[in-house]
Amino acid sequence: MSLEPPQDILSHLSEVFAQLPKDVVIGVAVSGGSDSVALLLALRAAMPQAHLHAATVDHGLRAEAKEEAHWVNALCDKLGVAHTTLTVSDLPKGPNLQARARCARYDALAAWGRAMACSRICLGHSQTDVAENFLIRLARGSGVDGLSVMRGRWTDRGMEWLRPLLAFSRADLQDFLRAQRQGWCNDPSNEDPAFMRVRVRKAAPDLEALGLTGHRLATTATRMSHVQEALDFSTRGLWPQVAQIDFTDVLFDQVALSRLPREFVERMVSDALNWISGQPYRPRNSALLRAIAAKKTATLHGCVLIPQSGNVLRISREFSAVEGQVVQAGAPWDGRISITNFKKSYEIRALGPYGLGQCPKWRDSGRPRLALLASPSVWQGQTLLAAPMAQFGPKDMLKVVSQLWE
């Protein structure tokens, strides 16, 4: 099998991985579609000494998925690449099946990548994906963040992720595969008009006739990323002027907040909600603006927004979101709280009504009861050891391990 891709793809991948050891361990997500198959072949050619590990995720949603995984496994055998099929079952309930499947897919790939000691995992998204995402999000009324180009490199779930082929269209990658006389799998769902992405894909010829080519849309998405960077840069300087951190809560000065342009308000309150809840995506703008404007307590995004005296808007964790969350000392609680000094028998839990009843000075803290119920606390069995926000026990026994701003 010939493994010499066009020089531009080969040069590009060689440049992307130039700083890595030649024998680096790299994970590759391969569905069997043209983009991921092209990525696999090009990586094998550009980095012949690298240790490549390929993984195919089977969500159990399509009968063809098992056959596609077998097909990828056979291809990997020919290339001398280790291959694993990751089976994902019991997707969480809820709307937006594709989003839930995507989250489960990343969870499975990250766990696999760590087990394989991969330095990073590569994904076969192309410039065509960038253009399609732009149109889908435009149709949904997304703002600057949603219209920005897909990330080419990021860290999540304890793993570094790369999309090294975003400069190439799907047509480029399929031309490469044809030149190699290499086929790929066609997912039948890619023809199902029930999916927004399929309808956008079918509209591509008409859009291109209007000048909305994939390249032009991807270029616009890149410009949106530059705007996003400028907004993020400006926002960092605004945080100390309008907000302060109260251990695990965020307190906004509503007067100062109201003087900012709406884009900054939405961005900062969304960032606070995501920091507290651990969710990666912003809430819908309509729900966000309603919650900010409300004169009474509101819940949103796994958080509770509490108006307080002195024009303060407190954002705390929602108790129902963490009520059953218990972790042993040494592991992070709610994704961002850890114990500084501990014994193995210690646990971190939400304080809750029972714990709050053991904190006689909680009213002296000036914090609302609703916020304290969800605040982190340290327990040994049924004995409360520390609840810093409720003024019980050592104040420094717990710490927040992530920062909203620096």
Side-chain angles (χ1 to χ4, degrees):
M1 178 181 294
S2 174
L3 288 178
E4 292 187 7
Q7 188 61 30
D8 54 354
I9 295 179
L10 177 60
S11 299
H12 178 74
L13 289 179
S14 296
E15 182 178 340
V16 168
F17 295 100
Q19 303 303 316
L20 297 179
K22 291 183 178 180
D23 59 349
V24 64
V25 180
I26 296 176
V28 192
V30 186
S31 66
S34 59
D35 295 359
S36 61
V37 172
L39 173 63
L40 177 63
L41 264 66
L43 279 173
R44 180 74 289 168
M47 307 184 67
Q49 298 179 48
H51 300 287
L52 297 185
H53 294 280
T56 304
V57 180
D58 178 4
H59 300 90
L61 299 174
R62 296 185 300 110
E64 304 87 353
K66 285 183 172 57
E67 293 180 10
E68 292 163 1
H70 289 314
W71 184 91
V72 174
N73 186 72
L75 174 62
C76 288
D77 279 346
K78 292 180 182 178
L79 298 174
V81 174
H83 176 262
T84 304
T85 297
L86 306 174
T87 302
V88 174
S89 58
D90 299 325
L91 289 178
K93 305 294 184 182
N96 199 335
L97 174 62
Q98 288 188 323
R100 287 183 284 122
R102 180 171 56 251
C103 183
R105 181 165 63 251
Y106 277 96
D107 287 343
L109 285 169
W112 165 80
R114 292 191 298 269
M116 295 293 103
C118 296
S119 67
R120 61 217 64 208
I121 296 176
C122 294
L123 307 171
H125 295 100
S126 67
Q127 187 181 90
T128 306
D129 291 304
V130 174
E132 290 173 355
N133 272 9
F134 181 89
L135 289 171
I136 290 170
R137 292 176 178 180
L138 184 65
R140 292 174 179 167
S142 295
V144 169
D145 290 352
L147 298 177
S148 297
V149 72
M150 295 172 70
R151 295 176 295 180
R153 182 190 301 264
W154 75 102
T155 301
D156 183 39
R157 296 169 169 86
M159 179 60 60
E160 183 176 348
W161 306 82
L162 288 180
R163 293 183 175 118
L165 296 181
L166 293 181
F168 303 92
S169 70
R170 182 163 298 125
D172 293 332
L173 301 180
Q174 290 180 353
D175 285 345
F176 155 56
L177 290 176
R178 291 188 187 98
Q180 306 303 304
R181 298 182 179 179
Q182 173 61 57
W184 60 88
C185 299
N186 287 309
D187 181 349
S189 66
N190 288 333
E191 301 298 324
D192 186 349
F195 295 110
M196 177 68 162
R197 185 174 298 277
V198 174
R199 298 197 297 274
V200 166
R201 196 167 293 166
K202 290 183 179 296
D206 292 332
L207 294 174
E208 289 181 1
L210 297 173
L212 296 174
T213 63
H215 175 73
R216 185 161 293 176
L217 291 170
T219 299
T220 302
T222 299
R223 295 188 67 179
M224 288 296 100
S225 293
H226 297 160
V227 176
Q228 181 187 41
E229 290 172 3
L231 288 169
D232 288 344
F233 179 83
S234 299
T235 302
R236 284 195 292 273
L238 291 172
W239 275 110
Q241 302 176 37
V242 300
Q244 59 179 304
I245 302 296
D246 181 23
F247 196 53
T248 57
D249 293 0
V250 179
L251 278 58
F252 281 102
D253 181 331
Q254 289 185 293
V255 173
L257 195 65
S258 67
R259 293 173 180 158
L260 296 178
R262 176 170 158 172
E263 178 65 28
F264 286 111
V265 175
E266 294 175 7
R267 182 173 294 272
M268 297 176 82
V269 175
S270 292
D271 285 349
L273 290 166
N274 286 354
W275 179 68
I276 293 169
S277 69
Q279 297 193 45
Y281 301 109
R282 292 172 59 166
R284 292 190 179 277
N285 272 24
S286 56
L288 176 67
L289 294 173
R290 283 197 302 270
I292 295 173
K295 302 300 182 183
K296 58 182 181 180
T297 298
T299 57
L300 178 66
H301 221 48
C303 301
V304 57
L305 293 81
I306 309 171
Q308 294 184 257
S309 60
N311 291 309
V312 171
L313 176 64
R314 176 184 290 270
I315 303 182
S316 307
R317 194 66 159 115
E318 186 179 4
F319 177 56
S320 62
V322 292
E323 184 176 3
Q325 191 174 145
V326 180
V327 300
Q328 297 295 318
W333 181 81
D334 203 25
R336 62 192 178 113
I337 312 297
S338 67
I339 301 179
T340 52
N341 296 301
F342 61 88
K343 296 180 180 179
K344 290 184 178 180
S345 58
Y346 291 178
E347 295 178 338
I348 311 178
R349 312 174 195 164
L351 184 59
Y354 176 72
L356 190 62
Q358 299 184 51
C359 303
K361 297 182 179 180
W362 72 264
R363 290 182 177 82
D364 296 339
S365 71
R367 299 179 178 104
R369 181 178 185 275
L370 201 57
L372 292 176
L373 290 176
S375 66
S377 56
V378 182
W379 297 74
Q380 188 171 33
Q382 294 302 306
T383 302
L384 178 65
L385 302 179
M389 293 188 72
Q391 295 194 348
F392 182 89
K395 295 181 179 179
D396 59 352
M397 200 168 185
L398 290 171
K399 66 177 181 179
V400 181
V401 296
S402 66
Q403 299 296 320
L404 177 55
W405 75 82
E406 296 179 359

